[in-house]
Amino acid sequence: MIESAVFKNPPSEYGIRCWWWWLNGNIDKETITRDLQEMKAKGFSGACIFDANGADQAGNGPVPQGPMFGSPAWTELYVHAIKEADRLGLVMSLSIQSGWNLGGPDITPAETAKQVVFSQIQVKGSSNVQAELPSPKSRFNYYRDIAILAIPFKSFPNRAPISNFENKAAKKEVGGSAPDTRSLLTDIANVNEEEDATLKQVINITKYFKNGKLNWKAPVGEWTILRIGYTPTDAEVSTSSGEWQGHVIDYLSEKNFNRYWDTNVEPLLKAIGPMAGKTLKYLQTDSFEAGGINWTEGFEKEFIKHRGYDPIPYLPVLAGKIIENRDVSNRFLSDLRKTLGDLIAEKHYGTFSKRAREFNIGIQPESAGPHAGPFDGLKNYGYSDIMMSEFWSPSPHRARPVDRFFVKQAASAAKIYNKKLVGAESFTTVGPHWNDVMWADMKPSADHEFCAGLNLVYLHTFTSSPKAMGLPGQEYFAGTHFNTNVTWWDESIAFIQYLTRCHYIHQNGTSVADVLYYYGDHAPNLGRYKEDDPAKALPGFDYDLINEDRLLALEVKNGVLVLPHGVSYRVLSLPDHKTLSLAAMQKIQDLVKAGATVIGLKPTTTASLVKYPASEQILKKAADELWGSSTEISGVRKVGSGRVVWGKTASEFLRSDWVDFDMEIIKKESGSTYDYIHRTDGEKDFYFLSSQNRNASKITAAFRITGKQPELWNAVTGETKSAASFYQQDGKTYIPLEFDPYGSIFVVFKDEIAKDKRGEATSNDVLFETETTLHGSWEVAFDPKWGAPAKVVFNELTSWSDRNEDGIRFYSGKAVYSKSFDADAKLVAGNAYLDLGVVKDIGITKVILNGKDLGILWAPPLRVSVSGILKEKNNDLKVEVVNTWRNRLVGDRGVPQEKRFTKTNIKIQDKWQVLPAGLLGPVRLLKGTL
């Protein structure tokens, strides 16, 4: 039940959380208590203990090494943290290792991730062949045979290799930003007689191989003997603290995960007794960045179980051979990757979830990219309790939106698997240090992902820094620095309240999407950022992603696609690569006959050897039944109670089917960009609209709702009001809206009204007119312990960076501007506002007028109502301004440490420049007119 009073002051259960970075294990009990108490005071709902290093990456300096993860000394600190969190009522998570890529110092070569390797020799047949087979190249003195296979010797000096072979064979990650991997399903056309062997010509001679020697009576001809086995990959745990180094665990093995759990995780859970499941509620692993993995002990049996045929005769394909033909070989590789994905989901994340549930604990792994390991992201998410993703603030390392935003997949997973929380490692950067601006960098990034379905921010990162490490203290080389040591920590509560208000709305109800996009049944398979829009539903409609696992659970009720827990969609959209598994094809056939509308091109292949070649005929028959034999570019065909549509986007079809846009911007300024998400709890509807524009802007938006009074809820201020300007027409409500720079608004439809009612005002926003500008001098007080004079008079408002005094030019921290002024009697009696103009560098300020604290301003316009506080004479104005650490660090560059004001492991880079800082104005008194 959403209420405006709760929206204004939401409880801390809706608060943000953070990656609580225990940097190189360098932490102590005093710091733990301080951090947790400060989190609680700022409205955090919890934190994730994340032991990792990374202090000295990118040319930065090291920090002292603390206790190793899981050691008795580390466990004592961890137990203290959980006890303190329990006392404070915080929800805790724990990353179950140091660093990421699950593994550690106790992972043996037998337990580590593995890859297929091979050696080959040529022999002549028609006689008994006795030969030593060279051991394939191995790592860490660990190698196991899979099979010894013989195929006819052939030489193809000019044959094109299987395209993109290393990616198809899962020998490496395909990419790091949720790449579209459907190209792995195709290759150049078959060429006659280019195969190394037909399937029947592959001879399994494993039983003739003992103690490294082959004793085989070979048939007539020349033969290639392949010794095929597996060895560990070279993947290692990344960015871990101290001595927690070692191999990455085998993600395909339930046995190896269980051994890791029994040794490293369960003791930590038992150490906190009943607080496991009460205070420690979630366990975490970070994103898979471990490269290629394509085998495990007993994989051939799992392959048969999942795909229904024996992979052994096809293993020469992993040695670069072509078996049967190029198409068949590619089909095998596709089945290989899909089986790897099945095992990663079931044996790794499924086992993780099962073991955690024994302690009444959920899991929140970043299990679905963006690094494209051999898995199905949505299927992995099926085992999660918080669907954890990530997004980045603007950063040179990830500058493009496609490389920054990844939450849409997680939000879809939450919806199709009926989970509430969509979390994200938030505001990650590589490059910036202490110069991220809340309103310009962080807010628009979070708003973008709120529109994709985010509802729980995990700050990346809150680095714990003991007092001995100084200020700004020890820091991880990446991530937006957001902890007790930032200069604006006390003022951060205003931004945190904004995020908390957004959480309050977004964690209630269910998002509305008309389109369900089936993202295919291949691996790797990862959903991309929202604007990728594979169904072409945007901007007027929204969409969710679904995978094969949940596609098979769909039903049709009254022509609408429905999942068992009740979420529904108008249409199902298919991927355009014309590939469906046999199971997916048959399910789609059933859905259409039952009344579903399916949009997409006619499938032509399964890209699989499952039930091949009969599968292709079955698929063709089903596709012909649904799509018919028409060669028209576009069309609609009724089959059973449903329809098949092709040649139209989801948006085009829905409009042609007389479905109104859920939200349509019918008027906007040229070049401006907006996004939205719509949620409903069955009685109320909540639209969140985000302006992704640096300048203020205006729109008129149409919402697919009538008969309810629109309300405007501002998450920056907590203000809620009924829209005074709107009208209803043809089943839609039209509202003019004004946005501040990177502004956002909730449009709430709650109370019933007549469907012909309209708001008669011309605008929903206050019109401002300047009454006077506060000219003249200001007294500015600095904190002298950071090198500035205690007080100084500014004859006019100028940037600290333009001052001649080094103590001001290089100042970082808080300063208080003071001024006395008079005001016009008419303004005092009217609707008066104070506008601060420009504040640099991070743009955070607090206003105190005549002893009244008017709150923290952090998002432009920096404007606050002063009605009832403003006087005609002798107004006492104080404006507290804070900037970041950047200027003081620049001032300390090149200075011996003992003479510096600051202390940190982060390198003060030569390219850093002093940033504009302070109250720049103009400071104006405004008259507001409704």
Side-chain angles (χ1 to χ4, degrees):
M1 191 73 173
I2 301 296
E3 298 294 343
S4 58
V6 181
F7 175 75
K8 185 173 182 62
N9 294 295
S12 61
E13 68 183 90
Y14 295 102
I16 64 172
R17 300 178 189 173
C18 65
W19 282 179
W20 186 21
W21 213 264
W22 290 15
L23 188 66
N24 206 24
N26 185 34
I27 192 169
D28 55 43
K29 290 182 179 180
E30 178 186 3
T31 307
I32 287 170
T33 296
R34 178 204 66 192
D35 285 354
L36 291 173
Q37 289 181 163
E38 286 289 334
M39 291 179 201
K40 181 67 175 181
K42 295 297 182 290
F44 283 54
S45 64
C48 178
I49 297 173
F50 202 124
D51 187 290
N53 198 0
D56 57 355
Q57 293 187 37
N60 298 298
V63 301
Q65 179 179 324
M68 187 175 75
F69 176 87
S71 67
W74 191 96
T75 301
E76 182 179 347
L77 294 169
Y78 147 79
V79 170
H80 175 74
I82 300 301
K83 285 181 177 179
E84 289 290 80
D86 184 69
R87 174 177 66 85
L88 294 165
L90 294 169
V91 174
M92 299 302 290
S93 306
L94 171 68
S95 179
I96 63 170
Q97 67 172 114
S98 182
W100 57 86
N101 296 332
L102 187 61
D106 64 342
I107 301 299
T108 67
E111 295 172 322
T112 195
K114 301 172 182 70
Q115 287 183 329
V116 171
V117 290
F118 69 95
S119 65
Q120 62 183 4
I121 63 171
Q122 277 71 51
V123 300
K124 291 185 177 181
S126 71
S127 63
N128 196 58
V129 174
Q130 293 184 340
E132 290 190 4
L133 301 186
S135 180
K137 185 178 180 181
S138 62
R139 299 183 183 93
F140 311 116
N141 199 31
Y142 183 92
Y143 169 82
R144 297 293 183 271
D145 285 312
I146 301 171
I148 312 300
L149 302 177
I151 60 175
F153 172 72
K154 295 182 181 179
S155 178
F156 300 96
N158 297 316
R159 183 181 70 186
I162 292 174
S163 66
N164 211 351
F165 175 70
E166 288 203 339
N167 283 329
K168 288 181 176 179
K171 292 188 174 184
K172 63 179 185 178
E173 293 172 9
V174 180
S177 292
D180 185 342
T181 64
R182 291 177 294 168
S183 63
L184 300 185
L185 298 173
T186 61
D187 205 332
I188 61 175
N190 291 336
V191 176
N192 289 334
E193 298 184 357
E194 69 169 346
E195 74 278 0
D196 290 277
T198 65
L199 194 60
K200 291 182 179 179
Q201 290 174 321
V202 179
I203 305 173
N204 190 334
I205 58 174
T206 306
K207 64 183 179 181
Y208 303 111
F209 178 70
K210 293 181 180 179
N211 301 320
K213 292 184 178 181
L214 178 67
N215 189 352
W216 174 52
K217 187 175 182 180
V220 174
E222 289 187 79
W223 296 87
T224 295
I225 309 299
L226 292 164
R227 184 178 181 182
I228 302 173
Y230 59 91
T231 193
T233 72
D234 59 3
E236 296 181 344
V237 176
S238 176
T239 320
S240 49
S241 296
E243 297 177 3
W244 189 270
Q245 310 296 326
H247 300 298
V248 170
I249 200 170
D250 184 349
Y251 276 66
L252 308 176
S253 170
E254 179 179 7
K255 178 182 72 174
N256 294 340
F257 183 93
N258 278 328
R259 204 286 303 161
Y260 179 91
W261 177 279
D262 292 341
T263 304
N264 298 301
V265 183
E266 189 157 312
L268 293 175
L269 303 183
K270 289 182 176 179
I272 58 173
M275 291 182 292
K278 173 180 177 284
T279 300
L280 181 63
K281 292 189 175 182
Y282 300 98
L283 298 177
Q284 158 89 16
T285 54
D286 205 56
S287 55
F288 178 99
E289 300 177 22
I293 173 174
N294 63 10
W295 203 264
T296 190
E297 180 183 359
F299 180 76
E300 63 276 19
K301 295 177 182 177
E302 292 290 344
F303 189 100
I304 293 170
K305 174 183 173 183
H306 285 82
R307 306 278 84 84
Y309 69 93
D310 187 356
I312 297 300
Y314 296 92
L315 290 185
V317 175
L318 295 179
K321 310 297 183 182
I322 293 178
I323 299 301
E324 200 69 28
N325 57 50
R326 187 178 293 268
D327 177 60
V328 165
S329 297
N330 274 279
R331 288 171 181 265
F332 165 70
L333 291 172
S334 176
D335 287 342
L336 172 81
R337 297 191 303 275
K338 189 169 182 178
T339 306
L340 294 170
D342 289 340
L343 296 192
I344 289 173
E346 297 163 10
K347 305 298 184 181
H348 186 79
Y349 294 111
T351 305
F352 188 7
S353 176
K354 178 182 176 182
R355 296 304 302 269
R357 283 199 308 272
E358 295 171 3
F359 290 84
N360 196 31
I361 290 175
I363 66 170
Q364 58 175 56
E366 287 188 14
S367 58
H371 289 257
F375 46 72
D376 177 328
L378 288 176
K379 186 166 187 175
N380 287 352
Y381 272 140
Y383 295 98
S384 291
D385 298 278
I386 297 177
M387 306 306 188
M388 189 63 68
S389 184
E390 66 181 72
F391 70 88
W392 291 57
S393 286
S395 169
H397 182 68
R398 289 183 179 268
R400 303 180 304 162
V402 69
D403 298 319
R404 290 176 52 204
F405 299 121
F406 305 102
V407 168
K408 184 62 174 176
Q409 176 182 225
S412 295
K415 194 167 172 185
I416 66 175
Y417 285 107
N418 195 26
K419 300 295 174 67
K420 176 181 178 179
L421 295 177
V422 180
E425 164 196 322
S426 304
F427 313 119
T428 303
T429 60
V430 172
H433 288 287
W434 296 292
N435 63 331
D436 308 84
V437 178
M438 284 180 186
W439 75 268
D441 297 325
M442 299 169 71
K443 181 182 185 295
S445 301
D447 288 351
H448 181 282
E449 296 299 69
F450 284 140
C451 290
L454 173 71
N455 64 18
L456 182 56
V457 164
Y458 278 78
L459 298 177
H460 184 234
T461 191
F462 186 119
T463 301
S464 190
S465 184
K467 288 183 180 179
M469 301 308 295
L471 292 172
Q474 65 182 28
E475 271 297 353
Y476 179 47
F477 88 102
T480 296
H481 306 321
F482 199 134
N483 63 4
T484 61
N485 283 1
V486 295
T487 54
W488 41 267
W489 174 249
D490 290 340
E491 291 72 27
S492 68
I493 192 168
F495 179 53
I496 293 169
Q497 285 174 332
Y498 170 77
L499 298 174
T500 304
R501 292 183 184 117
C502 290
H503 287 174
Y504 172 60
I505 302 293
H506 293 309
Q507 287 181 22
N508 282 279
T510 304
S511 65
V512 175
D514 292 284
V515 180
L516 184 61
Y517 175 74
Y518 178 55
Y519 86 156
D521 34 67
H522 54 286
N525 199 6
L526 302 174
R528 291 155 63 83
Y529 75 137
K530 181 178 178 179
E531 290 88 336
D532 193 51
D533 190 19
K536 300 297 180 284
L538 304 178
F541 302 104
D542 206 347
Y543 70 95
D544 288 320
L545 307 172
I546 195 168
N547 63 340
E548 183 181 44
D549 181 37
R550 298 305 286 160
L551 176 79
L552 299 180
L554 280 172
E555 299 176 352
V556 181
K557 295 181 180 179
N558 300 319
V560 175
L561 293 146
V562 182
L563 281 164
H565 53 283
V567 297
S568 61
Y569 304 88
R570 295 178 188 268
V571 297
L572 174 68
S573 179
L574 303 181
D576 62 8
H577 63 291
K578 301 182 181 180
T579 302
L580 289 177
S581 71
L582 196 56
M585 180 72 254
Q586 291 172 331
K587 181 63 178 182
I588 289 166
Q589 186 179 28
D590 292 342
L591 291 172
V592 171
K593 290 180 178 180
T597 298
V598 174
I599 303 171
L601 300 176
K602 184 177 183 180
T604 59
T605 182
T606 64
S608 169
L609 292 178
V610 174
K611 298 183 179 179
Y612 182 83
S615 57
E616 299 304 295
Q617 293 304 312
I618 297 170
L619 179 126
K620 183 179 185 304
K621 182 178 178 181
D624 286 344
E625 181 180 6
L626 296 184
W627 277 265
S629 57
S630 173
T631 58
E632 295 293 324
I633 294 175
S634 63
V636 179
R637 190 166 188 267
K638 186 169 177 59
V639 182
S641 299
R643 295 172 293 178
V644 173
V645 182
W646 66 95
K648 289 186 176 182
T649 67
S651 179
E652 289 169 345
F653 171 74
L654 287 170
R655 294 297 293 124
S656 71
D657 211 37
W658 305 105
V659 178
D660 287 326
F661 290 122
D662 186 22
M663 195 285 296
E664 180 185 10
I665 297 174
I666 62 170
K667 183 179 180 181
K668 69 174 185 176
E669 296 157 354
S670 177
S672 57
T673 303
Y674 305 87
D675 200 359
Y676 86 102
I677 189 169
H678 174 194
R679 301 185 72 86
T680 181
D681 64 5
E683 296 181 357
K684 304 180 188 69
D685 288 85
F686 309 88
Y687 288 83
F688 177 74
L689 276 67
S690 165
S691 166
Q692 294 287 307
N693 307 292
R694 191 175 183 90
N695 296 320
S697 57
K698 299 180 180 181
I699 65 171
T700 299
F703 302 87
R704 194 173 59 194
I705 289 178
T706 55
K708 289 187 176 182
Q709 170 67 44
E711 299 178 7
L712 307 179
W713 293 21
N714 186 333
V716 172
T717 64
E719 177 190 18
T720 62
K721 63 182 181 180
S722 292
S725 177
F726 71 94
Y727 66 93
Q728 303 176 83
Q729 182 177 307
D730 299 328
K732 292 178 282 188
T733 299
Y734 295 78
I735 310 174
L737 298 169
E738 296 185 17
F739 291 90
D740 297 329
Y742 291 128
S744 58
I745 194 75
F746 285 97
V747 181
V748 179
F749 294 90
K750 187 174 61 170
D751 298 328
E752 292 188 4
I753 58 173
K755 292 188 177 181
D756 60 352
K757 181 179 178 180
R758 59 190 297 140
E760 299 299 336
T762 58
S763 172
N764 286 305
D765 293 272
V766 177
L767 176 65
F768 295 100
E769 297 178 74
T770 300
E771 288 292 307
T772 187
T773 299
L774 301 186
H775 294 292
S777 63
W778 294 73
E779 183 180 84
V780 186
F782 295 93
D783 185 346
K785 74 178 182 181
W786 293 101
K791 288 186 179 180
V792 65
V793 174
F794 280 35
N795 292 322
E796 59 181 350
L797 294 176
T798 58
S799 172
W800 302 346
S801 60
D802 293 333
R803 299 285 298 195
N804 293 324
E805 307 97 321
D806 282 352
I808 297 176
R809 183 166 179 260
F810 295 126
Y811 183 80
S812 288
K814 297 176 186 177
V816 179
Y817 288 71
S818 299
K819 189 175 186 65
S820 179
F821 67 93
D822 298 334
D824 182 81
K826 289 183 179 179
L827 182 62
V828 170
N831 195 19
Y833 289 81
L834 177 72
D835 190 303
L836 298 180
V838 176
V839 174
K840 293 287 186 176
D841 58 358
I842 196 171
I844 300 176
T845 183
K846 183 165 73 171
V847 178
I848 301 171
L849 180 62
N850 298 327
K852 177 72 172 180
D853 187 342
L854 301 183
I856 298 164
L857 305 177
W858 60 274
L862 302 177
R863 180 192 301 139
V864 63
S865 173
V866 292
S867 295
I869 304 167
L870 189 65
K871 304 184 300 183
E872 289 186 45
K873 298 292 183 180
N874 300 320
N875 287 281
D876 179 25
L877 174 63
K878 296 186 184 302
V879 180
E880 294 184 7
V881 174
V882 61
N883 70 331
T884 67
W885 282 115
R886 179 58 70 90
N887 288 356
R888 186 63 267 168
L889 290 166
V890 171
D892 284 353
R893 183 172 53 208
V895 176
Q897 180 60 61
E898 64 273 13
K899 294 184 179 181
R900 292 184 179 187
F901 292 91
T902 59
K903 180 180 180 182
T904 180
N905 62 297
I906 298 299
K907 180 182 178 181
I908 305 173
Q909 299 176 29
D910 292 339
K911 65 182 180 181
W912 290 2
Q913 300 295 319
V914 173
L915 299 176
L919 175 62
L920 306 184
V923 179
R924 298 174 296 154
L925 291 173
L926 310 177
K927 179 178 74 174
T929 304
L930 293 175

